Protein backbone atom coordinates (compact mmCIF):
# COMPACT_ATOMS: atom_id res chain seq x y z
CA UNK A 1 0.00 0.00 0.00
CA UNK A 2 2.86 2.36 0.78
CA UNK A 3 4.42 1.73 -2.63
CA UNK A 4 1.09 2.56 -4.25
CA UNK A 5 0.92 5.92 -2.46
CA UNK A 6 4.55 6.69 -3.26
CA UNK A 7 3.98 5.80 -6.92
CA UNK A 8 0.95 8.07 -7.14
CA UNK A 9 2.84 10.92 -5.49
CA UNK A 10 5.69 10.49 -7.97
CA UNK A 11 3.21 10.69 -10.86
CA UNK A 12 1.74 13.89 -9.41
CA UNK A 13 5.17 15.47 -8.92
CA UNK A 14 6.23 14.61 -12.47
CA UNK A 15 2.97 16.11 -13.75
CA UNK A 16 3.58 19.30 -11.76
CA UNK A 17 7.11 19.57 -13.15
CA UNK A 18 5.79 19.13 -16.68
CA UNK A 19 3.20 21.86 -16.04
CA UNK A 20 6.00 24.21 -14.97
CA UNK A 21 8.07 23.34 -18.05
CA UNK A 22 5.08 23.97 -20.32
CA UNK A 23 4.40 27.34 -18.66
CA UNK A 24 8.05 28.32 -18.89
CA UNK A 25 8.92 27.30 -22.45
CA UNK A 26 5.69 27.26 -24.48
CA UNK A 27 5.04 30.66 -26.08
CA UNK A 28 1.58 29.96 -27.52
CA UNK A 29 -1.39 29.80 -25.16
CA UNK A 30 -3.43 27.28 -27.16
CA UNK A 31 -0.52 24.89 -27.53
CA UNK A 32 0.20 25.20 -23.82
CA UNK A 33 -3.42 24.34 -22.99
CA UNK A 34 -3.33 21.28 -25.24
CA UNK A 35 -0.04 20.10 -23.75
CA UNK A 36 -1.36 20.56 -20.22
CA UNK A 37 -4.49 18.59 -21.11
CA UNK A 38 -2.28 15.82 -22.47
CA UNK A 39 -0.22 15.78 -19.27
CA UNK A 40 -3.37 15.58 -17.14
CA UNK A 41 -4.77 12.70 -19.18
CA UNK A 42 -1.52 10.74 -19.11
CA UNK A 43 -1.15 11.27 -15.35
CA UNK A 44 -4.74 10.22 -14.70
CA UNK A 45 -4.25 7.14 -16.87
CA UNK A 46 -1.11 6.20 -14.96
CA UNK A 47 -2.87 6.64 -11.61
CA UNK A 48 -5.87 4.58 -12.74
CA UNK A 49 -3.52 1.85 -14.02
CA UNK A 50 -1.95 1.70 -10.56
CA UNK A 51 -5.33 1.58 -8.82
CA UNK A 52 -6.95 -1.10 -11.01
CA UNK A 53 -5.34 -4.12 -9.27
CA UNK A 54 -6.45 -2.70 -5.93
CA UNK A 55 -10.12 -2.83 -6.92
CA UNK A 56 -9.86 -6.28 -8.50
CA UNK A 57 -9.21 -5.74 -12.18
CA UNK A 58 -6.05 -7.27 -13.64
CA UNK A 59 -3.26 -4.89 -14.55
CA UNK A 60 -2.92 -4.08 -18.24
CA UNK A 61 0.82 -3.45 -18.00
Amino acid sequence: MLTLIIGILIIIVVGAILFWVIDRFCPEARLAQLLKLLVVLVCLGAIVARLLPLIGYPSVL
Side-chain angles (χ1 to χ4, degrees):
M1 188 66 169
L2 183 62
T3 58
L4 176 71
I5 294 171
I6 291 172
I8 291 173
L9 286 175
I10 288 172
I11 292 169
I12 291 171
V13 168
V14 168
I17 291 170
L18 288 174
F19 260 55
W20 177 80
V21 168
I22 291 169
D23 277 339
R24 177 104 174 140
F25 295 109
C26 188
E28 296 183 25
R30 286 188 61 177
L31 178 61
Q33 286 180 339
L34 289 174
L35 288 173
K36 286 180 183 180
L37 180 63
L38 180 65
V39 167
V40 167
L41 290 176
V42 168
C43 288
L44 284 177
I47 290 171
V48 168
R50 287 193 176 264
L51 290 176
L52 280 178
L54 188 66
I55 59 174
Y57 288 100
S59 179
V60 293
L61 295 177

